[in-house]
Amino acid sequence: MRAPRRPRGALRRAVLVLVLAVLLPLGLGALTAPAAGAAEPPAVGDEPVAVVLDGMAPRVVTADGPGELVVTGRVVNRSAVPVRDLGVRLERGAALSGGRAALGVLAGDESSQAVRTGFTEIAGVLAPGQEVRFTLRVPLVGDAARSLALAGPGVHPLLVNANGALGSGSATRLGAVRLLLPVLGVPGGGPVAAPAIGRATGVSVLYPIADRPRRIAVVPGAPTLLADDDLATSFAPGGRLAGLVDALGRSAPAGSAAARSVCLAVDADLLETAEAMSAGYRVRTPDGGSVAGAGADAAGRWLDALRDQARGRCVSALPYADTDLVATARGNLTDLTTAAVATGTRRVAELLGVTPVPDTVWPADGVVDERSLADLTGGGTRSLLLDGDALEGGLPAGALARLPGPPGAAATAVGLDPLAATALAPRVGGRDGGDSTSPAGTSGALATQDALGILALRALQDTPDDEVPPVDVVAPPLDWAASTAEAGALLGAVDDLTRLGLARPLDLGTLLAGVGPTTPLPATSPSAPANAVDAIGETVLTRAGEVRDRQRELLAATERDGVGAPSPSDFVEPLTDGVLRSLSAAWRDDPAAQEAAIGGVERQIDELRSLVRVVQPAGSYSLGSNDAPLLLTVENRLPVAVRVEVVLEPTNGLRTGPLPAITVPAFGSRQVQVEVEVTRAGQFAVDAQAQTPGGEPLGPSARLLLRSTAYGTITVWLTASAAVVLVILASVRIARRVRAARRSRRNHRHRGPGPPTDALDLTNRELQKR
């Protein structure tokens, strides 16, 4: 018997399953890969391979420099299938025409590439997860097929393109890295024509020495406590902060053009943290405990090195802990705005032994709004370093403009270069294959290459003779994670531009020295982005204001306890520091950390208040009279004297008179006699608490047990009234008996010698009944 024929549809399905089983391990995506040049390249982050650059020389092309460009790097296959016929080449775009074109390149827009060199094959097959290194050597001038064919000065987009076949697909671009190549002169040709003396572009570099707040609020006298020990790594050789200080000495020594352009922007909170760490500190553990920190020696050495580098340089103080001044203004915390600026300036001067640029503020992200501008101007600020894009009309001519304000007191806006800020901002998945704000604190190679291109672009722009030469103020982010080599490359570019006559270095202090309240400047006004204004929530601002009010009340109740003792401001001011740290702009993207920071300050002030309290009595009080006094003890474990009032909770049956404030000495106690009036007998409880003269509760209340054996005034009144009634009743009874006896005698005289015995007995019985 013949077997039944299988349906043709089932056979087709079986063949399809077999084909899929063969092709799936190779990756179906390879079947649909676009042809070379036929489709747009994938976005960064979606590319099958990662191109990571390790170096490039020269970073800035000059006429007297080498004649070839050497680029080294790696290609990593991060796809799930092999890459075949992998090659790398350089592609150069036309010179940028201005800032708008540069911004497009920085944003990732690809321009048409004027020159494409040939591919250099670096791997026949690159398996998933593997990497291969490459070195490209390309002449800077010559034939366009074999060189970059540079013809003159300019800033060019440069693309490092990795091309290959993914799986069984056709060849296409698999990954690329874009960067700017500044050309100040063509090798073998003449130098760039320098502008007339005094017409060169000014270059000023703000050099940030800052970090996010790390300290956790503790009571005075307790060991310094940090949220983590990352600063131990950052202060050590090779760390982020150590590298920034080291680059100053290497690439901007005293007398160099770079040194004349640099102004250190320093956060006092970081300096205080380093100083505290050098004396020993603790680090919070995930379980709420703490362990000894490992960076005491590194912190001390770093602070000493920074003091050496700051000597003789321009220094500008940041708001303490990078306080969000827009938020403090929105929360009507004007006093905190003033405290952030004044505290930052004073402590930078004390810890570094320098005089910071006066009355100058660099707010977080270079942004203010109308309210924060009014608070700062009212507090004495005369210069503000602002993002050029956050000003009406963009970057003002000459980088200086006049902000709104009262005549003679309006502040000067120093426009920071927004293109340079974009070039220096951290980017995930950039040319170094990582994030320049990584915990390790180091960025990859060429992290500042785009900034070099922006500097060159500004320097190569012509300034009409009837205009003031512009000033390019370059300001990296406060958490700038440049390595020693990358920070040095930026400073070295200033030296190169100055040597070629294309730039004139001037630091921030020099830039502002000739600007007064009546100096004619173009007008501008702030235009803060909405996301910057609403970065910190209303709840955090409300809690900060409440802590500030309680702190002021505690400060008003304290006083110095003898010569040499700490002053109240020395003792209570750390609370202000804690509030400012909790309002740092560093927490804008981390609400949970900000909640923890303000919560720590709240716990700190609660702990301080708990150190002043009414001592809990060991037993009960026995009151033998209605006005017996209570003797209470008030204890103060603070290092300053405190003025205290003792308040008893209103209780039925007990009245107290007004109690005067007493002063309790530091680390001491004092007894106070409370006059009370008891209006009932028995046993009852009363709560007693110490508070400031302004009514702010201090420590926990003490429960007093009272046992009264005295009669109160009501009881005495009732007893006296009963006695009076008893006397009246007795008097009435006696009077009745006297009147009855008198009537009996009168009746006896009228009736004769004497009544019968029976009649007399009857009369006596009637009287007794009455």
Side-chain angles (χ1 to χ4, degrees):
M1 183 176 179
R2 183 177 297 177
R5 180 176 296 177
R6 179 173 299 180
R8 183 169 299 178
L11 180 60
R12 291 175 179 174
R13 286 194 296 271
V15 172
L16 179 61
V17 170
L18 180 61
V19 171
L20 290 175
V22 174
L23 292 181
L24 277 177
L26 298 177
L28 286 176
L31 296 177
T32 59
E40 294 184 0
V44 174
D46 298 331
E47 296 174 340
V49 303
V51 180
V52 183
L53 300 186
D54 295 328
M56 184 174 75
R59 303 285 290 271
V60 177
V61 179
T62 58
D64 55 355
E68 67 175 3
L69 183 69
V70 180
V71 179
T72 60
R74 295 161 286 151
V75 176
V76 183
N77 183 4
R78 56 187 181 188
S79 72
V81 296
V83 174
R84 297 180 295 104
D85 303 326
L86 181 62
V88 181
R89 74 176 178 186
L90 297 183
E91 300 178 9
R92 175 185 67 78
L96 300 177
S97 58
R100 186 181 298 275
L103 183 61
V105 173
L106 294 177
D109 297 341
E110 290 196 22
S111 59
S112 59
Q113 304 301 314
V115 175
R116 292 182 174 89
T117 64
F119 281 104
T120 299
E121 184 174 349
I122 59 175
V125 177
L126 189 65
Q130 288 187 340
E131 71 175 30
V132 59
R133 295 186 174 274
F134 67 86
T135 298
L136 296 179
R137 298 179 179 273
V138 179
L140 293 171
V141 294
D143 184 7
R146 292 185 295 273
S147 73
L148 293 182
L150 297 177
V155 178
H156 299 266
L158 188 68
L159 194 74
V160 182
N161 178 13
N163 194 282
L166 192 64
S168 60
S170 57
T172 186
R173 180 197 294 182
L174 301 179
V177 169
R178 188 266 318 136
L179 67 163
L180 297 180
L181 178 65
V183 178
L184 303 181
V186 177
V192 180
I197 297 176
R199 304 297 302 170
T201 299
V203 176
S204 185
V205 179
L206 284 177
Y207 200 84
I209 304 294
D211 199 89
R212 66 179 178 85
R214 309 276 181 171
R215 281 184 291 171
I216 297 176
V218 295
V219 297
T224 299
L225 182 63
L226 303 187
D228 54 59
D229 211 12
D230 291 347
L231 284 178
T233 302
S234 192
F235 287 147
R240 183 182 77 86
L241 291 169
L244 291 177
V245 175
D246 190 34
L248 284 172
R250 294 186 181 185
S251 302
S256 65
R260 297 196 303 273
S261 73
V262 167
C263 192
L264 307 184
V266 185
D267 180 12
D269 175 60
L270 176 61
L271 302 183
E272 289 180 332
T273 302
E275 186 177 51
M277 289 173 62
S278 66
Y281 65 102
R282 309 283 297 177
V283 178
R284 175 68 56 85
T285 56
D287 60 358
S290 65
V291 296
D297 293 339
R301 288 192 297 267
W302 177 85
L303 188 56
D304 290 340
L306 179 60
R307 288 192 181 107
D308 291 340
Q309 291 300 326
R311 192 175 298 114
R313 295 184 189 268
C314 170
V315 175
S316 177
L318 294 168
Y320 186 85
D322 193 24
T323 303
D324 192 333
L325 304 181
V326 173
T328 55
R330 182 163 51 90
N332 295 320
L333 302 173
T334 304
D335 60 326
L336 286 179
T337 299
T338 303
V341 174
T343 301
T345 302
R346 185 181 74 255
R347 295 186 185 170
V348 166
E350 293 172 351
L351 291 170
L352 293 184
V354 298
T355 301
V357 179
D359 305 326
T360 300
V361 175
W362 183 8
D365 297 332
V367 172
V368 294
D369 60 1
E370 292 181 358
R371 283 183 289 185
S372 55
L373 174 60
D375 286 349
L376 289 166
T377 305
T381 298
R382 294 296 171 260
S383 301
L384 284 165
L385 312 180
L386 301 178
D387 180 4
D389 283 345
L391 296 172
E392 292 291 345
L395 187 68
L400 300 178
R402 185 72 65 194
L403 291 164
T412 300
V414 179
L416 308 179
D417 189 346
L419 285 178
T422 301
L424 292 168
R427 289 187 294 273
V428 178
R431 66 183 63 92
D432 58 350
D435 184 354
S436 62
T437 59
S438 61
T442 58
S443 66
L446 311 184
T448 59
Q449 185 62 34
D450 287 343
L452 304 187
I454 298 302
L455 271 177
L457 183 67
R458 300 297 195 197
L460 291 173
Q461 289 178 344
D462 293 330
T463 304
D465 293 338
D466 58 345
E467 293 184 7
V468 177
V471 178
D472 187 27
V473 183
V474 178
L478 292 188
D479 57 353
W480 193 31
S483 64
T484 302
E486 287 306 291
L490 180 64
L491 298 174
V494 177
D495 276 336
D496 290 339
L497 292 171
T498 304
R499 177 174 55 84
L500 296 173
L502 298 174
R504 50 186 176 90
L506 72 167
D507 59 46
L508 181 65
T510 304
L511 177 63
L512 294 174
V515 180
T518 60
T519 303
L521 294 173
T524 189
S525 59
S527 57
N531 59 346
V533 176
D534 299 329
I536 295 182
E538 295 291 343
T539 301
V540 173
L541 293 176
T542 300
R543 292 168 65 184
E546 292 172 350
V547 170
R548 183 65 167 162
D549 291 340
R550 295 162 65 189
Q551 174 204 4
R552 279 197 293 260
E553 183 62 34
L554 182 60
L555 179 61
T558 57
E559 58 186 39
R560 187 189 296 270
D561 190 9
V563 178
S567 68
S569 59
D570 294 337
F571 170 68
V572 182
E573 194 170 304
L575 289 173
T576 303
D577 299 344
V579 176
L580 295 177
R581 285 194 294 269
S582 72
L583 296 179
S584 173
W587 311 129
R588 283 179 172 175
D589 297 329
D590 195 351
Q594 187 164 54
E595 290 280 344
I598 191 64
V601 182
E602 290 172 331
R603 288 190 298 273
Q604 182 187 26
I605 196 168
D606 287 340
E607 291 178 8
L608 292 177
R609 291 168 53 217
S610 69
L611 298 178
V612 182
R613 62 188 181 92
V614 177
V615 177
Q616 177 68 46
S620 61
Y621 292 88
S622 295
L623 304 179
S625 62
N626 65 323
D627 59 353
L630 298 179
L631 193 62
L632 304 177
T633 301
V634 181
E635 181 183 53
N636 174 25
R637 290 185 286 171
L638 296 176
V640 291
V642 183
R643 292 186 298 279
V644 174
E645 289 181 354
V646 177
V647 178
L648 270 61
E649 179 186 9
T651 304
N652 185 26
L654 182 72
R655 288 200 296 265
T656 61
L659 301 177
I662 61 171
T663 300
V664 186
F667 300 116
S669 62
R670 184 172 173 182
Q671 289 186 326
V672 58
Q673 183 171 294
V674 181
E675 300 294 338
V676 299
E677 182 181 359
V678 180
T679 59
R680 65 183 174 92
Q683 180 173 329
F684 49 95
V686 178
D687 289 335
Q689 187 175 45
Q691 67 177 25
T692 66
E696 178 70 19
L698 292 173
S701 59
R703 177 60 59 91
L704 312 180
L705 298 179
L706 307 183
R707 183 178 294 108
S708 175
T709 58
Y711 291 107
T713 55
I714 297 178
T715 304
V716 173
W717 183 84
L718 292 175
T719 303
S721 300
V724 171
V725 173
L726 182 61
V727 169
I728 293 173
L729 293 176
S731 300
V732 171
R733 187 170 185 180
I734 293 172
R736 287 179 177 177
R737 287 191 177 187
V738 170
R739 288 195 298 268
R742 289 177 179 174
R743 287 195 297 270
S744 176
R745 287 195 294 273
R746 286 196 299 269
N747 291 338
H748 179 71
R749 287 196 297 268
H750 292 307
R751 294 177 183 175
T757 305
D758 294 340
L760 182 61
D761 292 340
L762 177 60
T763 301
N764 291 335
R765 285 196 296 272
E766 289 177 354
L767 289 173
Q768 290 176 358
K769 290 178 179 179
R770 293 177 182 175

